Amino acid sequence: MRLNTIETGQGQPLVLLHGWGLHGGVWDTLVPLLAPRFRCIVIDLPGHGESPPVEGGLDAWADACLAVAPPRARWLGWSLGGMIALAAALQKPVAIERLFLVATTPRFVTAPDWPHAVAPEMLAQFAAELEADWRRTVEKFLILQTLGGTSGTAVLRALRAMVLGRVGADRAGLVTGLRILETADLRARLGEISAPVQVLTGAHDRLTPAAAARALAAALDGEFTAMPGAAHAPFLSDPAAFVRWIDAATVAA
């Protein structure tokens, strides 16, 4: 089934993928700043926003996004969306011209050789709480995304408004997306990705710490940037600085 997309602007295609529990509306502040230079293709992930659920895990979700994305596009993926962008680059390298990975990690939970992540027990608790009250669970996840940032209250307010302003996610989409975050581990395959990569994280991100983003950039031979004062949603903390980061990579390409 075809995922929901919204296209705005003109120029080189730029695919935008949001994070868990949200929808494409999370980019509403950013798209007007990008539209003069890019044809922005905003995708609602499977079971999120107005997109139907897609059975399967990370690869199935990446396939669904590739099916609605134009060829040779740049992909901007945030959090879970960044993990999907990585999977898409592994599945179909010729489809992706460049990757912008924001608050993204190749493995979301900790392991003996991967301390730069959240405890598995935290995601297990989220999974259990989804069954009882999925709206409250999403709300708790939004709060975690803003902790530590200097503009955390404003960013949380913006995220809450986005969740309430459009269809959010259905239970099936939330469960599958959380399972991807719990189980996916792309570290061993990062060397197969050939597209140029820019990695950005908030300096105060507590979900995908700067150490994880720095390790990701090193594995991809990409450029790493930490945005001062930002937490897990740096594009909301300082949209203008975020666009300058994208523009700098575009000029350098």
Side-chain angles (χ1 to χ4, degrees):
M1 297 180 68
R2 187 178 178 87
L3 301 183
N4 181 62
T5 63
I6 298 176
E7 295 195 18
T8 307
Q10 55 187 336
Q12 186 170 23
L14 176 67
V15 173
L16 295 95
L17 302 179
H18 61 82
W20 183 82
L22 289 159
H23 51 69
V26 76
W27 305 112
D28 283 355
T29 301
L30 197 65
V31 165
L33 303 177
L34 295 171
R37 297 178 295 289
F38 294 98
R39 176 164 64 99
C40 298
I41 299 95
V42 175
I43 300 176
D44 283 341
L45 295 182
H48 290 67
E50 298 180 24
S51 285
V54 171
E55 293 185 4
L58 179 60
D59 288 340
W61 280 31
D63 281 339
C65 290
L66 283 164
V68 295
R72 298 304 297 165
R74 299 183 176 201
W75 284 46
L76 169 56
W78 170 51
S79 196
L80 172 60
M83 188 173 277
I84 294 168
L86 285 169
L90 288 167
Q91 289 183 32
K92 198 172 182 181
V94 297
I96 297 177
E97 193 271 337
R98 182 178 291 270
L99 286 170
F100 297 101
L101 303 174
V102 181
T104 297
T105 175
R107 179 186 171 96
F108 200 78
V109 297
T110 56
D113 60 345
W114 186 249
H116 323 302
V118 301
E121 293 79 12
M122 188 188 82
L123 289 191
Q125 182 179 353
F126 274 115
E129 292 174 351
L130 274 177
E131 294 299 320
D133 189 343
W134 68 268
R135 291 183 185 276
R136 180 173 174 78
T137 304
V138 172
E139 169 78 6
K140 289 177 64 176
F141 196 70
L142 296 183
I143 293 171
L144 283 174
Q145 293 181 40
T146 61
L147 290 177
T150 55
S151 56
T153 301
V155 172
L156 178 58
R157 189 182 304 116
L159 288 171
R160 281 173 170 158
M162 290 167 189
V163 170
L164 295 174
R166 279 183 50 192
V167 176
D170 66 25
R171 191 184 299 272
L174 290 170
V175 169
T176 303
L178 196 60
R179 188 180 305 121
I180 291 172
L181 293 176
E182 287 181 297
T183 61
D185 188 348
L186 297 174
R187 291 177 297 164
R189 299 193 62 195
L190 294 177
E192 301 173 32
I193 294 176
S194 58
V197 178
Q198 268 73 33
V199 179
L200 181 142
T201 190
H204 303 287
D205 193 339
R206 297 186 184 180
L207 285 176
T208 53
R214 189 179 290 108
L216 175 63
L220 293 168
D221 195 23
E223 296 184 5
F224 166 75
T225 302
M227 183 179 287
H232 192 62
F235 57 93
L236 292 176
S237 298
D238 193 340
F242 188 85
V243 171
R244 287 195 297 271
W245 170 68
I246 293 176
D247 285 343
T250 301
V251 170

